[in-house]
Amino acid sequence: MSRILLVEDDINLGESLKQYLEFEKFQVDWAQNLNAAENFLNSSTPDLVILDWMLPDGQGIDFLKTTRKDHLSLPVIMLTARTELVDKIIGLETGSNDYITKPFEPRELIARVRVQLRNEPVSPKSTTVIKVNDIIIDSEQRVVTKGDEAIELTKMEFDLLKLLAEVPNKVFSREEILNKVWGFENFPTTRTVDTHILQLRQKLSDGLFETVRGIGYKLKLEVD
């Protein structure tokens, strides 16, 4: 049973989320402020943290910066009423793995929790060549071939393909893709991700990329 630390000061929302998560067979520890959350992390290590942005004794985003030093691989999903893109950027760049704005459907949160829990930390690949099915990606030469055919990709198409191919079958949220590929320099939207996935499907294979509804995309690796 996966253990989740819920950090939320709203009593009604906290009780509701705790009950919903427990119904879905998660073990839930509920902290109503950052001090309680810190004390919990000093003695235990959960499998995932659901962290509210605004709390009585500070901001979750500052707490995240501090805890990341000792918990590098701990998945964190931010909860916030902030809807501005710049806030999403700050949250993701500070170290959150995902971001969900209030109000939200509990089913969406559960889906995002499950995605993060099955995404195990992956060490960087030592090779510059990645092979997925019949596609070869040469990171050093920035060349992609499918069978005997060279496939011409734009810089962003290549970077997006490489990101997904490095961890095949892992689901990446649109926000995570934006953060890792675009870096938010030009403040793109999640629609940018959808457009580039469409372009890759047209150039490589429609069946290579799977859409995970409400979350993002993954690259499918065929296993014999």
Side-chain angles (χ1 to χ4, degrees):
M1 181 183 292
S2 297
R3 189 174 189 181
I4 295 175
L5 173 61
L6 172 64
V7 188
E8 171 60 61
D9 66 313
D10 185 301
I11 301 298
N12 292 330
L13 178 59
E15 289 179 345
S16 176
L17 290 179
K18 187 174 187 296
Q19 291 176 7
Y20 203 95
L21 289 163
E22 288 175 341
F23 179 79
E24 296 293 329
K25 308 304 182 184
F26 295 108
Q27 179 182 346
V28 181
D29 296 279
W30 180 17
Q32 297 180 22
N33 55 58
L34 296 178
N35 184 58
E38 184 177 2
N39 290 337
F40 177 86
L41 289 176
N42 286 337
S43 60
S44 303
T45 301
D47 297 297
L48 179 141
V49 177
I50 299 173
L51 177 64
D52 191 18
W53 187 302
M54 298 298 295
L55 290 144
D57 52 347
Q59 296 194 44
I61 202 73
D62 294 327
F63 177 75
L64 178 58
K65 292 177 184 177
T66 303
T67 56
R68 267 290 173 248
K69 298 175 182 177
D70 298 318
H71 302 277
L72 290 174
S73 61
L74 178 61
V76 177
I77 299 176
M78 294 290 299
L79 298 182
T80 179
R82 296 170 179 258
T83 59
E84 295 296 324
L85 177 60
V86 65
D87 294 316
K88 293 184 179 182
I89 295 171
I90 292 171
L92 290 167
E93 290 188 339
T94 300
S96 66
N97 300 82
D98 206 349
Y99 187 109
I100 187 168
T101 55
K102 303 175 184 178
F104 55 86
E105 286 288 334
R107 288 175 296 178
E108 180 185 357
L109 177 61
I110 294 298
R112 291 175 181 266
V113 165
R114 287 189 170 135
V115 166
Q116 294 302 325
L117 288 175
R118 64 174 181 257
N119 289 344
E120 297 179 357
V122 177
S123 301
K125 289 186 175 291
S126 57
T127 179
T128 61
V129 176
I130 304 170
K131 187 176 187 301
V132 179
N133 304 336
D134 62 341
I135 296 171
I136 297 177
I137 305 163
D138 188 326
S139 301
E140 185 173 336
Q141 300 295 323
R142 294 186 69 84
V143 172
V144 175
T145 56
K146 185 176 189 294
D148 296 326
E149 179 186 2
I151 307 297
E152 185 175 343
L153 300 180
T154 66
K155 177 184 181 302
M156 291 307 181
E157 288 170 354
F158 182 91
D159 291 343
L160 173 55
L161 175 63
K162 179 174 177 290
L163 172 69
L164 298 180
E166 283 179 333
V167 197
N169 296 322
K170 171 187 171 178
V171 180
F172 287 85
S173 70
R174 289 174 174 83
E175 290 81 5
E176 186 177 3
I177 292 172
L178 283 174
N179 188 32
K180 293 179 181 295
V181 176
W182 275 266
F184 294 98
E185 304 101 10
N186 299 313
F187 293 92
T189 67
T190 53
R191 181 60 183 166
T192 302
V193 176
D194 299 334
T195 300
H196 280 72
I197 289 289
L198 176 60
Q199 292 167 349
L200 287 175
R201 280 175 165 156
Q202 292 172 343
K203 293 182 178 182
L204 294 170
S205 170
D206 183 52
L208 184 64
F209 305 93
E210 180 176 329
T211 303
V212 181
R213 188 173 180 181
I215 301 176
Y217 298 96
K218 70 177 181 179
L219 186 145
K220 295 190 292 185
L221 175 63
E222 296 176 2
V223 180
D224 297 329

